[in-house]
Amino acid sequence: MYQKVSTNLNFVDREKETEKFWRENDIFQKSMKAREGCPTYTFYDGPPTANGKPHIGHVLTRVIKDMIPRYRTMKGYMVPRKAGWDTHGLPVELEVEKMLGLNGKEQIEEYGIEPFIEKCKESVWKYKGMWEDFSGTVGFWADMDNPYVTYDDNFIESEWWALNQIWNKGLLYKGFKIVPYCPRCGTPLSTAEVSQGYKTVKERSAIVRFKVTGEDAYFLAWTTTPWTLPSNVALCVNPDEEYVKVKAADGYTYYMAKALLDTVLSSRLANEENGNKAYEILETYKGKDLEYKEYEPLYACAKETADKQNKKGFFVTCDSYVTMSDGTGIVHIAPAFGEDDANVGRNYDLPFVQFVDGKGQLTEETPYAGKFVKDADKDVLIDLDKEGKLFDAPKFEHEYPHCWRCDTPLIYYARESWYIKETAVRDDLIRNNNTVNWIPESIGKGRFGNWLENIQDWAISRNRYWGTPLPIWRSDDGREEICIGSYEELYKEIEKAVEAGVMDKNPLKEKGFVPGDYSKENYDKIDLHRPYVDEIILVSPSGKPMKRELDLIDVWFDSGSMPYACLLYTSDA
């Protein structure tokens, strides 16, 4: 018989009674058992991080993740629901840094990587109980007694297997590219991560006088990043636009784009009361006419570095990316600090000058040693003004990317990283995306579809401590390398290294790890996080020692690996 429905609708108490009934009578487990042998409907739970508290936004995602599996279960499907925990990544490191009173990579390494990693491992469970209570309160059904954990070595091994598959297809490579880089965290960011941290900022740009070689005239060039000027090695014009040589009212002779004369010169130099014009046009050119025209280096340190590289710089280049929408129509080129600059640098074989270190500070070669790039802007402008090289420093407002984790301004910075060649499989990605039933459709066909159309190679390596280690070992000369795809393969490669005298002993064997035994008990014997995995040295086919690349894998690869890693899948398991 049904109980009479009370008119006293105390929803909170009734929810608690229902939750208690489900828990005490194993209703979730019984609902799963009742569907054994039925067709499977696959559900993936993208995991939360248990070192952060659940908030109101998680209610919506938990409800949706619960609603669809319940519906499919009611329709007669078996819906496995394995819960999981996202345990790696920089947010965890930042939380531990804060707890320990550390600030940055130097202090982490002084503290010790090993104890720091142990603190990270403890930290990720800080709010586990709160998450479990929260999940029960909102009625979220999932197997939380047997979750997958991204820091478990068998999960990591599945990621190694996946990356090894990518390696075998020739889609994993090391490249020197411009990447969005957080100097505070000391690591590059993915395109998706960059999109999360844009802020509207007001800054000063610089319109700089570059002295033309052998001529009493100057190129007027514009930049939004004055701190990059010490690394200047070229200027760039649009080959198809009109440029002019003008006599200006300030007594200087300038080269710049014709379309921007009034914007730049008239607004600053014209005197309407006296009838004085801001400029007089002397000659007209196409941008292509100015190509290879030389100028005097802005900073001696850049010239010294260029000379050491035996490369020619400090001349005008051409590229169609230069627009007439702002600035002077001439932009300054520092190939170490921007994708367009880097492309120009490659096209003209320009010197590579990078006077900024991994902390985002100007290096000792410059007059601004130790200054953070954004703080150096003011000093650069003051010095150029004193030397008569600064025409103007107009303020401008724009969207600038900041690190979504620590709020530090990002810099676009040339560095070596490991990349997955996403561009090589773009058509496959788009074709597969078109088979997905997106709800709402505008997300899949619009925002996500557009992102796939313009996809770039994925900078997958991260220069941090707490995460899945990149399973690549290389010889010092970089000519021999191996990507390990399983712990069994690593075990065998260590045995070879021991035989060759590169390693004294096999640390996996020492801990009692048995290759081919995929039990949790076996994998609990080892830990292949940093710094332990860094101590393993392998031997190349020619007998050279091979050390592990110290990078970690982007934590988003953890998330993307979940469909097979939550099953602890490798080719052998």
Side-chain angles (χ1 to χ4, degrees), residues 357-401:
D357 64 20
K359 298 177 188 176
Q361 297 175 350
L362 275 293
T363 59
E364 61 184 11
E365 292 90 345
T366 73
Y368 318 106
K371 285 252 182 184
F372 181 65
V373 289
K374 289 295 183 180
D375 297 331
D377 277 351
K378 182 179 178 181
D379 293 333
V380 170
L381 294 174
I382 289 173
D383 283 354
L384 292 176
D385 192 38
K386 287 178 181 177
E387 296 169 11
K389 296 176 180 177
L390 184 67
F391 175 80
D392 196 9
K395 283 186 178 179
F396 72 110
E397 183 175 286
H398 66 137
E399 294 291 306
Y400 193 86

Side-chain angles (χ1 to χ4, degrees), residues 179-449:
V179 293
Y181 177 81
C182 174
R184 160 61 180 77
C185 298
T187 193
L189 281 74
S190 67
T191 305
E193 289 174 308
V194 173
S195 67
Q196 298 181 58
Y198 275 90
K199 290 184 176 185
T200 302
V201 297
K202 288 184 178 179
E203 298 181 296
R204 285 200 178 274
S205 60
I207 299 176
V208 182
R209 299 182 179 105
F210 288 83
K211 177 73 169 59
V212 181
T213 301
E215 191 177 335
D216 188 17
Y218 296 81
F219 293 113
L220 272 189
W222 181 63
T223 179
T224 59
T225 51
W227 57 269
T228 63
L229 286 168
S231 299
N232 169 269
V233 293
L235 299 175
C236 192
V237 300
N238 189 307
D240 302 317
E241 294 290 345
E242 271 197 307
Y243 287 79
V244 291
K245 182 179 181 180
V246 300
K247 184 68 175 179
D250 62 359
Y252 287 91
T253 299
Y254 296 124
Y255 288 88
M256 63 171 292
K258 185 177 182 180
L260 293 162
L261 281 170
D262 290 338
T263 303
V264 176
L265 298 182
S266 295
S267 61
R268 184 172 172 80
L269 302 179
N271 190 326
E272 295 180 4
E273 293 181 4
N274 297 333
N276 292 335
K277 293 182 179 180
Y279 59 87
E280 176 190 352
I281 296 177
L282 302 177
E283 297 175 23
T284 302
Y285 311 86
K286 280 291 185 183
K288 186 70 175 174
D289 299 331
L290 300 176
E291 189 177 25
Y292 295 109
K293 197 170 182 66
E294 297 181 9
Y295 65 90
E296 296 177 5
L298 200 63
Y299 284 85
C301 52
K303 177 69 164 60
E304 290 167 6
T305 300
D307 288 346
K308 289 176 184 176
Q309 296 175 12
N310 293 315
K311 288 193 173 184
K312 180 176 171 56
F314 313 105
F315 59 86
V316 176
T317 62
C318 291
D319 196 285
S320 58
Y321 92 88
V322 179
T323 69
M324 301 296 116
S325 59
D326 44 29
T328 66
I330 304 177
V331 297
H332 114 88
I333 297 295
F337 302 111
E339 190 60 43
D340 291 323
D341 297 51
N343 290 335
V344 172
R346 282 189 288 269
N347 292 339
Y348 286 87
D349 194 26
L350 295 172
F352 183 80
V353 179
Q354 189 175 43
F355 290 147
V356 175
D357 64 20
K359 298 177 188 176
Q361 297 175 350
L362 275 293
T363 59
E364 61 184 11
E365 292 90 345
T366 73
Y368 318 106
K371 285 252 182 184
F372 181 65
V373 289
K374 289 295 183 180
D375 297 331
D377 277 351
K378 182 179 178 181
D379 293 333
V380 170
L381 294 174
I382 289 173
D383 283 354
L384 292 176
D385 192 38
K386 287 178 181 177
E387 296 169 11
K389 296 176 180 177
L390 184 67
F391 175 80
D392 196 9
K395 283 186 178 179
F396 72 110
E397 183 175 286
H398 66 137
E399 294 291 306
Y400 193 86
H402 289 64
C403 180
W404 66 278
R405 301 181 184 94
C406 70
D407 211 32
T408 300
L410 303 181
I411 59 177
Y412 284 84
Y413 191 72
R415 60 179 295 119
E416 275 193 316
S417 293
W418 285 91
Y419 293 86
I420 294 178
K421 199 179 293 184
E422 304 268 4
T423 49
V425 294
R426 179 188 288 116
D427 292 344
D428 293 334
L429 294 170
I430 293 171
R431 183 167 54 253
N432 288 335
N433 184 55
N434 290 336
T435 68
V436 176
N437 179 28
W438 282 93
I439 300 174
E441 186 179 18
S442 60
I443 297 295
K445 304 297 184 186
R447 186 172 69 181
F448 189 69

Side-chain angles (χ1 to χ4, degrees), residues 468-512:
T468 299
L470 190 71
I472 297 173
W473 275 257
R474 302 181 97 205
S475 59
D476 287 341
D477 59 14
R479 294 180 180 177
E480 295 180 89
E481 54 193 11
I482 186 173
C483 179
I484 298 294
S486 70
Y487 283 14
E488 183 170 355
E489 181 185 3
L490 179 62
Y491 189 101
K492 292 176 181 177
E493 290 297 328
I494 297 174
E495 288 291 278
K496 292 180 186 177
V498 172
E499 289 176 18
V502 172
M503 290 277 288
D504 293 332
K505 56 188 177 183
N506 186 335
L508 301 188
K509 182 188 286 187
E510 292 287 314
K511 291 177 182 284

